[in-house]
Tab-separated table of all heavy atoms in Angstrom:
chain	number	residue	atom	x	y	z
I	401	ALA	N	65.177	11.062	-38.198
I	401	ALA	CA	64.775	10.034	-37.228
I	401	ALA	C	65.554	10.156	-35.926
I	401	ALA	O	65.027	9.923	-34.850
I	401	ALA	CB	64.973	8.642	-37.835
I	402	SER	N	66.806	10.531	-36.015
I	402	SER	CA	67.588	10.725	-34.805
I	402	SER	C	68.820	11.549	-35.159
I	402	SER	O	69.037	11.896	-36.313
I	402	SER	CB	67.993	9.399	-34.172
I	402	SER	OG	68.952	8.770	-35.017
I	403	GLY	N	69.636	11.822	-34.168
I	403	GLY	CA	70.848	12.613	-34.415
I	403	GLY	C	71.341	13.249	-33.139
I	403	GLY	O	70.831	12.947	-32.067
I	404	ASP	N	72.309	14.125	-33.290
I	404	ASP	CA	72.820	14.840	-32.137
I	404	ASP	C	71.699	15.738	-31.585
I	404	ASP	O	70.937	16.333	-32.355
I	404	ASP	CB	74.014	15.709	-32.586
I	404	ASP	CG	74.536	16.549	-31.451
I	404	ASP	OD1	75.314	15.997	-30.654
I	404	ASP	OD2	74.154	17.732	-31.351
I	405	ILE	N	71.628	15.822	-30.265
I	405	ILE	CA	70.501	16.527	-29.628
I	405	ILE	C	70.393	17.975	-30.104
I	405	ILE	O	69.304	18.528	-30.249
I	405	ILE	CB	70.629	16.427	-28.087
I	405	ILE	CG1	69.273	16.643	-27.414
I	405	ILE	CG2	71.647	17.366	-27.510
I	405	ILE	CD1	68.554	15.404	-27.159
I	406	ASN	N	71.537	18.592	-30.382
I	406	ASN	CA	71.503	20.004	-30.809
I	406	ASN	C	70.892	20.198	-32.188
I	406	ASN	O	70.524	21.313	-32.554
I	406	ASN	CB	72.915	20.607	-30.751
I	406	ASN	CG	73.273	20.925	-29.311
I	406	ASN	OD1	72.504	21.586	-28.598
I	406	ASN	ND2	74.397	20.414	-28.845
I	407	GLN	N	70.763	19.114	-32.924
I	407	GLN	CA	70.094	19.236	-34.225
I	407	GLN	C	68.641	19.669	-34.084
I	407	GLN	O	68.060	20.234	-34.989
I	407	GLN	CB	70.129	17.894	-34.947
I	407	GLN	CG	71.442	17.624	-35.636
I	407	GLN	CD	71.383	16.326	-36.440
I	407	GLN	OE1	70.313	15.840	-36.785
I	407	GLN	NE2	72.542	15.776	-36.700
I	408	LEU	N	68.066	19.377	-32.909
I	408	LEU	CA	66.676	19.807	-32.682
I	408	LEU	C	66.592	21.318	-32.696
I	408	LEU	O	65.670	21.905	-33.279
I	408	LEU	CB	66.154	19.253	-31.335
I	408	LEU	CG	65.977	17.749	-31.270
I	408	LEU	CD1	65.647	17.322	-29.837
I	408	LEU	CD2	64.878	17.280	-32.208
I	409	TYR	N	67.554	21.967	-32.053
I	409	TYR	CA	67.581	23.436	-32.069
I	409	TYR	C	67.913	23.972	-33.469
I	409	TYR	O	67.325	24.956	-33.928
I	409	TYR	CB	68.616	23.974	-31.089
I	409	TYR	CG	68.190	23.950	-29.639
I	409	TYR	CD1	69.092	23.586	-28.623
I	409	TYR	CD2	66.893	24.319	-29.250
I	409	TYR	CE1	68.695	23.592	-27.291
I	409	TYR	CE2	66.504	24.323	-27.919
I	409	TYR	CZ	67.416	23.975	-26.934
I	409	TYR	OH	67.044	23.975	-25.617
I	410	THR	N	68.852	23.327	-34.132
I	410	THR	CA	69.241	23.784	-35.487
I	410	THR	C	68.036	23.717	-36.418
I	410	THR	O	67.767	24.663	-37.173
I	410	THR	CB	70.367	22.881	-36.049
I	410	THR	OG1	71.329	22.689	-35.031
I	410	THR	CG2	71.008	23.482	-37.268
I	411	ALA	N	67.290	22.598	-36.330
I	411	ALA	CA	66.124	22.453	-37.200
I	411	ALA	C	65.053	23.487	-36.854
I	411	ALA	O	64.404	24.065	-37.735
I	411	ALA	CB	65.548	21.031	-37.057
I	412	PHE	N	64.902	23.757	-35.567
I	412	PHE	CA	63.903	24.746	-35.147
I	412	PHE	C	64.306	26.140	-35.630
I	412	PHE	O	63.465	26.898	-36.135
I	412	PHE	CB	63.744	24.732	-33.620
I	412	PHE	CG	62.780	25.784	-33.127
I	412	PHE	CD1	61.415	25.657	-33.360
I	412	PHE	CD2	63.230	26.905	-32.451
I	412	PHE	CE1	60.513	26.626	-32.927
I	412	PHE	CE2	62.330	27.880	-32.002
I	412	PHE	CZ	60.978	27.734	-32.242
I	413	ASP	N	65.581	26.466	-35.516
I	413	ASP	CA	66.072	27.768	-35.971
I	413	ASP	C	65.778	27.972	-37.470
I	413	ASP	O	65.295	29.013	-37.889
I	413	ASP	CB	67.587	27.920	-35.737
I	413	ASP	CG	67.897	28.189	-34.262
I	413	ASP	OD1	66.932	28.414	-33.482
I	413	ASP	OD2	69.075	28.134	-33.872
I	414	SER	N	66.075	26.935	-38.271
I	414	SER	CA	65.813	27.058	-39.724
I	414	SER	C	64.315	27.232	-39.987
I	414	SER	O	63.913	28.004	-40.850
I	414	SER	CB	66.262	25.828	-40.498
I	414	SER	OG	67.505	25.419	-40.075
I	415	PHE	N	63.529	26.494	-39.234
I	415	PHE	CA	62.067	26.571	-39.380
I	415	PHE	C	61.590	28.003	-39.100
I	415	PHE	O	60.822	28.586	-39.854
I	415	PHE	CB	61.435	25.567	-38.404
I	415	PHE	CG	59.967	25.733	-38.138
I	415	PHE	CD1	59.036	25.542	-39.161
I	415	PHE	CD2	59.507	26.045	-36.868
I	415	PHE	CE1	57.680	25.661	-38.903
I	415	PHE	CE2	58.155	26.178	-36.608
I	415	PHE	CZ	57.234	25.988	-37.628
I	416	VAL	N	62.116	28.612	-38.048
I	416	VAL	CA	61.718	29.977	-37.689
I	416	VAL	C	62.223	30.972	-38.755
I	416	VAL	O	61.485	31.870	-39.157
I	416	VAL	CB	62.252	30.357	-36.291
I	416	VAL	CG1	61.987	31.832	-35.995
I	416	VAL	CG2	61.589	29.488	-35.230
I	417	GLN	N	63.444	30.766	-39.218
I	417	GLN	CA	64.000	31.668	-40.246
I	417	GLN	C	63.131	31.690	-41.487
I	417	GLN	O	63.024	32.707	-42.168
I	417	GLN	CB	65.409	31.200	-40.687
I	417	GLN	CG	66.405	31.046	-39.595
I	417	GLN	CD	67.169	32.329	-39.305
I	417	GLN	OE1	66.788	33.383	-39.802
I	417	GLN	NE2	68.196	32.241	-38.493
I	418	GLY	N	62.503	30.567	-41.759
I	418	GLY	CA	61.672	30.467	-42.976
I	418	GLY	C	60.331	31.163	-42.854
I	418	GLY	O	59.641	31.384	-43.850
I	419	ILE	N	59.923	31.529	-41.663
I	419	ILE	CA	58.563	32.015	-41.451
I	419	ILE	C	58.290	33.329	-42.173
I	419	ILE	O	57.291	33.464	-42.842
I	419	ILE	CB	58.256	32.193	-39.951
I	419	ILE	CG1	58.194	30.825	-39.277
I	419	ILE	CG2	56.915	32.894	-39.763
I	419	ILE	CD1	58.112	30.883	-37.781
I	420	SER	N	59.211	34.274	-42.104
I	420	SER	CA	58.910	35.594	-42.672
I	420	SER	C	58.703	35.498	-44.175
I	420	SER	O	57.936	36.246	-44.757
I	420	SER	CB	60.010	36.582	-42.322
I	420	SER	OG	61.235	36.076	-42.795
I	421	GLN	N	59.374	34.524	-44.800
I	421	GLN	CA	59.193	34.393	-46.249
I	421	GLN	C	57.826	33.785	-46.585
I	421	GLN	O	57.309	33.967	-47.673
I	421	GLN	CB	60.291	33.476	-46.827
I	421	GLN	CG	61.679	34.096	-46.682
I	421	GLN	CD	62.710	33.035	-46.358
I	421	GLN	OE1	62.581	31.898	-46.773
I	421	GLN	NE2	63.728	33.422	-45.603
I	422	ASN	N	57.265	33.057	-45.644
I	422	ASN	CA	55.980	32.415	-45.916
I	422	ASN	C	54.844	33.417	-46.063
I	422	ASN	O	53.850	33.145	-46.722
I	422	ASN	CB	55.602	31.445	-44.805
I	422	ASN	CG	56.524	30.252	-44.753
I	422	ASN	OD1	57.285	30.040	-45.698
I	422	ASN	ND2	56.488	29.507	-43.691
I	423	GLU	N	55.006	34.577	-45.413
I	423	GLU	CA	53.964	35.616	-45.471
I	423	GLU	C	52.604	35.051	-45.039
I	423	GLU	O	51.598	35.263	-45.689
I	423	GLU	CB	53.834	36.199	-46.886
I	423	GLU	CG	54.989	37.095	-47.298
I	423	GLU	CD	55.072	38.380	-46.489
I	423	GLU	OE1	54.014	38.940	-46.177
I	423	GLU	OE2	56.197	38.777	-46.152
I	424	VAL	N	52.627	34.297	-43.971
I	424	VAL	CA	51.361	33.717	-43.520
I	424	VAL	C	50.693	34.696	-42.563
I	424	VAL	O	51.219	35.017	-41.512
I	424	VAL	CB	51.603	32.370	-42.809
I	424	VAL	CG1	50.284	31.730	-42.444
I	424	VAL	CG2	52.402	31.454	-43.696
I	425	ALA	N	49.525	35.178	-43.001
I	425	ALA	CA	48.841	36.193	-42.182
I	425	ALA	C	48.064	35.535	-41.056
I	425	ALA	O	47.490	34.465	-41.228
I	425	ALA	CB	47.913	37.007	-43.061
I	426	VAL	N	48.051	36.189	-39.929
I	426	VAL	CA	47.241	35.729	-38.799
I	426	VAL	C	45.915	36.483	-38.864
I	426	VAL	O	45.906	37.695	-39.088
I	426	VAL	CB	47.993	36.057	-37.476
I	426	VAL	CG1	47.120	35.838	-36.271
I	426	VAL	CG2	49.260	35.224	-37.381
I	427	PRO	N	44.768	35.801	-38.703
I	427	PRO	CA	43.487	36.514	-38.825
I	427	PRO	C	43.323	37.577	-37.734
I	427	PRO	O	43.770	37.400	-36.614
I	427	PRO	CB	42.433	35.407	-38.694
I	427	PRO	CG	43.131	34.273	-38.029
I	427	PRO	CD	44.576	34.371	-38.398
I	428	ASP	N	42.681	38.660	-38.103
I	428	ASP	CA	42.400	39.712	-37.132
I	428	ASP	C	41.036	39.510	-36.485
I	428	ASP	O	40.129	38.948	-37.093
I	428	ASP	CB	42.401	41.086	-37.844
I	428	ASP	CG	43.797	41.703	-37.851
I	428	ASP	OD1	44.440	41.689	-36.784
I	428	ASP	OD2	44.222	42.198	-38.900
I	429	LEU	N	40.916	40.020	-35.261
I	429	LEU	CA	39.595	40.184	-34.649
I	429	LEU	C	39.063	41.502	-35.210
I	429	LEU	O	39.799	42.492	-35.258
I	429	LEU	CB	39.734	40.304	-33.119
I	429	LEU	CG	38.443	40.603	-32.351
I	429	LEU	CD1	37.569	39.351	-32.241
I	429	LEU	CD2	38.756	41.108	-30.939
Side-chain angles (χ1 to χ4, degrees):
S402 70
D404 177 82
I405 202 93
N406 283 309
Q407 280 185 20
L408 292 172
Y409 282 140
T410 315
F412 178 70
D413 284 352
S414 315
F415 165 65
V416 173
Q417 304 272 11
I419 291 171
S420 57
Q421 296 142 31
N422 293 347
E423 288 294 322
V424 185
V426 170
D428 271 314
L429 175 76

